[in-house]
Amino acid sequence: MVALLVGLKLTLLRNGLRRSVWRTVGLVLGAVYALGIVVAAVAGLVALRWTSTEVTAQVTVVAYAALTLGWLVLSLLVFGVDETVDPARFALLPVRARALVPGLVVAALVGLPGVATVLVALGLVVTWARTPGLALAALVAAVLGTLTCVLLSRTATSAFAAFLSSRRFRDLAAVLLAVVGAGLAIATNVLSRGLGSDLGVLTTLLQRASTAASWSPFGWAWALPGDVARGAWAQAGVHLVLAAGLVVALGATWTAVLDRRLVEPSTSAGGSGTVGRSGRLERLFPADEAGAVAVRSLRYWRRDARHVATLASFLVAPLVLLVTLGLNPDVSPRLVVLTPCVLAVVVGTSVGQDLSFDGSALWLHVSTGLSGLADRRGRVLAALTVFAPVLLAMHLVVAAVTGGWASLPGALGLSAALALGGMGAGAWAGALWQWPGPVPGESPFQRGSSGGLPALASAMVVLVATGLLGLPSLALVLLGAFWRPWAGWLALPVGLVLGLAALRVGTVQGGRLLDRRWPEALRAVSERAG
Amino acid sequence: MPTAMRLTGLVKSFGVKRAVDGLDLQVPAGSLFGLVGPNGAGKTTTLSMATGLLRPDAGTAEVLGHDVWTDPAAAKATMGVLPDGVRLFDRLSGRELLSYVGRLRRVPPADIASRSGDLLEALGLAADADTLVADYSAGMTKKIGLACALVHAPRLLVLDEPFEAVDPVSGEGIRSILRRYTRDGGTVVLSSHVMELVESLCDQVAVVAQGRVLVSGPVDEVRAGSTLQQRFLELVGFRAGDEEGLAWLRSSSG
């Protein structure tokens, strides 16, 4: 069964590569990147052989616990789980989850992050191969630790996916996840600063961190060789039992979740999905086609988990930054006032990915002969309706709390340049690059590798263009802060004019581009992944 | 008789597979035209190219005198389309979706309201008008798709598998809508696997296999005294299964 599932995964990967050049390019780039990380990590691990066992233990526990945490957080928040071998597809076959789990775990390791993790985990054996006993302990740790990485990410995403599949909780859960993520980031930030200012000495910090990490579930397995090296057999025993227990418990949980998914593979929960009949929203927007697109987009912003998740993930960074900077008395309020601009930097990407989120439903726009310009304008209009009030409110609240009213116009100007310009760039990039997004109703984690390079290219271009468009206003804001205040005020009209001009150019050019390549865009978004 | 849809030399390849291979088709105005063919014959690909959803590698598609690929706006304005195997904007309710299509098609708002009501009533969706399309069954989704194709009162309807998953009662409803529509001067092109349905509903039929039209004309001419099913099987070259084939399957009944 293991060989069968791994073979299936390899076949699916190969076929995926054969179908799209983009994906091959993406894989090669990813492989180069991953190879660099692995080589650097192994070099570091080899270098550790010349240090004391104590330092080696401390460094490796912290680093590998971070790797394990990374698997959990990244699969939950950023990448999603690569469901190339989707367990739900096995629903019609007479198999039990117990028989599938080993194969699925190994299949999960087939792929760039998996292979890289295995190589780095084997590096632990290299660094600890000082006596046969230590090498054996490191090997056990590497196996248990790698299994923990995979099982943790699978179990967490499966559990969340099941939770999210009931539509009623889906929006709530996406927001909750973002808040938890922001909370974690803020907590570590506050914690690290507290430690840093009290102790200051790196070694003490490392010692504390390694103790904390070795007793967190993420470090149980990785702490094993260090315990053996110190001759702390009792601790080694406890860590071994805990690590093995964790692997068994996660395996059992995942098996249980899988068993349920094999019986009810459909994620759509029949619910009372009725909506009110009021046409208030429709009357708020122009009566042309762009207005219709805007109203439809706004309804999706509210009803579609993917959009809610986007919104939540956008809010994480500015909130974290706000709290971190706000807590630090050394940072001038004139800088804190600028934190909402971080949100303005990313909003353009939402316009860039909006078309891909439509999936094959986009045929309607193609078939009705909708002009590209109307499509672009409608989506921008909806994004502005969502983000403009949020941005404005954040700016006002931050200015009120810090008392930095004098810097508000400049900050608003910068945000205007970034948000409007970014949406212009998104309107253009969204017309050029499309990819098959996750379909609505599916778990937002189930992204797999479907986005690939077009998604990356779109986001990069939008972010770079946004940054460039923000530069003049940023320069004026900084001049205003450190030289003449009137320069900061100038940032407002400059930002508005520049942003609006970029928005105009982006929507018009994006519209023309879309008019030329509607059918190609439709094919790009509806291409099935896998 | 004027021609509502004229496809000339259409070609479309996906990789090495040639899905549509020099297909020619003429649909007379006012006809109820059935497109039949085995799986993978290129029906959906052909209809996608005829409606502006898929760019052909070669050939032209003309709809009511407008070329779909050089004058798409005019051609698309005259057509109502129901594609198969694609999603709808299913986070909208049925009523919202109809209104969205109506607004994209520049139907006056007063007309959108009245036509939506009529269509939802006629297709038996009135009770679920405010339910999200995501919660519709397969048959209901087909029906709301058909309503979307009709809301701007097009002169040509292009329907890919309009009866799939639709129950017999709703199916009869759709049939009577289509018959009345052609009686009032509209043209319908639909694809189907079900020969009996095409035989009883359509007045013109074309048999498609391997990306080409094998035969096309009035139903009576095409079936030539036999049943459409029999004639179809002859045309696509069906070999009746060997009696001894799949012998191992018998043991499973024991």
Side-chain angles (χ1 to χ4, degrees), chain B residues 204-207 215-228 231-232 235:
Chain B
Q204 299 263 332
V205 66
V207 179
V215 63
S216 172
V219 173
D220 286 330
E221 254 174 53
V222 169
R223 66 184 161 194
S226 171
T227 64
L228 190 58
R231 188 79 181 98
F232 174 78
L235 280 166

Side-chain angles (χ1 to χ4, degrees), chain A residues 8-316:
Chain A
L8 176 65
K9 167 108 180 202
L10 284 175
T11 313
L12 288 172
L13 281 179
R14 200 180 55 227
N15 290 349
L17 290 178
R18 202 179 283 162
R19 279 179 57 184
S20 143
V21 185
W22 282 104
R23 243 179 250 176
T24 317
V25 176
L27 186 78
V28 170
L29 284 182
V32 170
Y33 191 64
L35 194 70
I37 292 177
V38 169
V39 167
V42 172
L45 287 164
V46 170
L48 275 178
R49 286 177 64 101
W50 280 277
T51 65
S52 69
T53 50
E54 200 184 354
V55 171
T56 309
Q58 286 170 359
V59 172
T60 51
V61 166
V62 172
Y64 283 94
L67 173 74
T68 314
L69 185 66
W71 267 79
L72 176 68
V73 173
L74 290 185
S75 56
L76 272 183
L77 290 179
V78 188
F79 293 124
V81 168
D82 176 12
E83 295 265 27
T84 314
V85 180
D86 182 1
R89 305 262 164 89
F90 297 102
L92 283 177
L93 301 175
V95 286
R96 288 188 181 282
R98 184 181 287 276
L100 283 175
V101 164
L104 287 176
V105 170
V106 181
L109 287 172
V110 178
L112 282 182
V115 170
T117 304
V118 168
L119 289 177
V120 171
L122 288 177
L124 189 70
V125 184
V126 174
T127 198
W128 278 115
R130 302 170 194 196
T131 66
L134 279 177
L136 183 67
L139 187 63
V140 173
V143 171
L144 285 178
T146 310
L147 285 177
T148 312
C149 284
V150 174
L151 287 172
L152 204 58
S153 72
R154 295 283 145 158
T155 314
T157 46
S158 304
F160 258 102
F163 178 56
L164 286 180
S165 67
S166 68
R167 190 175 301 131
R168 174 182 284 188
F169 290 112
R170 207 179 288 154
D171 301 353
L172 182 72
V175 176
L176 206 70
L177 199 65
V179 171
V180 169
L184 270 178
I186 291 169
T188 40
N189 212 302
V190 172
L191 203 71
S192 65
R193 199 195 341 277
L195 285 172
S197 57
D198 283 346
L199 309 162
V201 191
L202 192 69
T203 48
T204 332
L205 192 65
L206 183 63
Q207 197 183 355
R208 290 207 170 188
S210 76
T211 315
S214 75
W215 291 110
S216 78
F218 308 108
W220 286 342
W222 308 111
L224 204 56
D227 296 338
V228 174
R230 274 187 289 122
W233 296 105
Q235 280 195 17
V238 173
H239 273 138
L240 181 62
V241 169
L242 282 175
L246 182 64
V247 168
V248 171
L250 286 174
T253 314
W254 193 34
T255 311
V257 173
L258 268 188
D259 258 328
R260 211 171 50 229
R261 252 180 101 185
L262 287 176
V263 183
E264 32 179 315
S266 142
T267 48
S268 73
S272 53
T274 56
V275 293
R277 208 195 280 188
S278 93
R280 245 179 311 164
L281 197 58
E282 288 177 4
R283 280 194 291 276
L284 283 176
F285 286 88
D288 58 2
E289 298 100 274
V293 174
V295 171
R296 199 275 303 164
S297 278
L298 271 183
R299 287 187 170 134
Y300 265 62
W301 273 104
R302 206 177 57 217
R303 291 176 196 167
D304 179 0
R306 300 167 308 162
H307 283 91
V308 180
T310 303
L311 183 59
S313 67
F314 280 0
L315 288 176
V316 170

Side-chain angles (χ1 to χ4, degrees), chain A residues 167 170 271 273-277 282 286-289 291-293 295-296 299-300 303 358 360-361 363-370 439-441 516-517 519-520 522-523 528, chain B residues 12-14 51-55 69 72-73 76-77 79 81-83 85-93 95-97 99-101 103-106 130-132 134-135 148:
Chain A
R167 190 175 301 131
R170 207 179 288 154
T274 56
V275 293
R277 208 195 280 188
E282 288 177 4
D288 58 2
E289 298 100 274
V293 174
V295 171
R296 199 275 303 164
R299 287 187 170 134
Y300 265 62
R303 291 176 196 167
D358 286 350
S360 57
W363 74 267
L364 190 64
H365 288 192
V366 186
S367 149
T368 50
L370 180 68
V439 294
R516 279 203 303 274
R517 57 187 305 275
E520 285 72 26
L522 177 62
R523 265 203 88 185
R528 291 274 155 80
Chain B
K12 183 75 198 178
S13 305
F14 299 108
T51 51
L53 297 179
L54 183 69
R55 202 185 295 278
W69 291 99
K76 286 170 180 177
M79 262 189 290
V81 183
L82 171 67
V86 291
R87 308 185 69 81
L88 293 169
F89 284 105
D90 58 10
R91 298 296 137 138
L92 302 179
S93 70
R95 192 190 306 279
E96 285 169 351
L97 182 61
S99 147
Y100 184 46
V101 179
R103 291 185 65 189
L104 291 184
R105 295 277 194 187
R106 291 185 214 152
D130 295 313
T131 305
L132 294 189
D135 290 333
C148 289

Side-chain angles (χ1 to χ4, degrees), chain B residues 13-59:
Chain B
S13 305
F14 299 108
V16 289
K17 186 180 175 350
R18 197 162 252 224
V20 174
D21 188 12
L23 183 138
D24 299 298
L25 190 69
Q26 289 185 26
V27 177
S31 66
L32 226 166
F33 197 98
L35 202 59
V36 298
N39 294 334
K43 302 189 292 288
T44 296
T45 311
T46 302
L47 293 183
S48 296
M49 289 191 285
T51 51
L53 297 179
L54 183 69
R55 202 185 295 278
D57 295 340

Side-chain angles (χ1 to χ4, degrees), chain A residues 272-447:
Chain A
S272 53
T274 56
V275 293
R277 208 195 280 188
S278 93
R280 245 179 311 164
L281 197 58
E282 288 177 4
R283 280 194 291 276
L284 283 176
F285 286 88
D288 58 2
E289 298 100 274
V293 174
V295 171
R296 199 275 303 164
S297 278
L298 271 183
R299 287 187 170 134
Y300 265 62
W301 273 104
R302 206 177 57 217
R303 291 176 196 167
D304 179 0
R306 300 167 308 162
H307 283 91
V308 180
T310 303
L311 183 59
S313 67
F314 280 0
L315 288 176
V316 170
L319 286 180
V320 170
L321 205 61
L322 197 60
V323 173
T324 329
L325 291 181
L327 282 177
N328 192 332
D330 301 338
V331 178
S332 151
R334 280 179 297 201
L335 280 181
V336 180
V337 169
L338 293 180
T339 43
C341 301
V342 175
L343 174 63
V345 171
V346 291
V347 294
T349 57
S350 78
V351 178
Q353 69 188 9
D354 206 39
L355 200 97
S356 301
F357 274 11
D358 286 350
S360 57
L362 191 66
W363 74 267
L364 190 64
H365 288 192
V366 186
S367 149
T368 50
L370 180 68
S371 82
L373 183 61
D375 176 278
R376 300 288 85 193
R377 276 183 50 215
R379 292 177 200 268
V380 167
L381 214 53
L384 275 177
T385 314
V386 172
F387 287 112
V390 175
L391 264 175
L392 201 61
M394 276 176 89
H395 270 299
L396 290 177
V397 169
V398 173
V401 171
T402 58
W405 289 106
S407 315
L408 183 62
L412 281 176
L414 179 55
S415 270
L418 292 170
L420 295 172
M423 287 184 186
W428 182 80
L432 185 58
W433 288 294
Q434 296 88 21
W435 58 93
V439 294
E442 245 180 33
S443 149
F445 300 126
Q446 207 164 317
R447 255 171 286 184

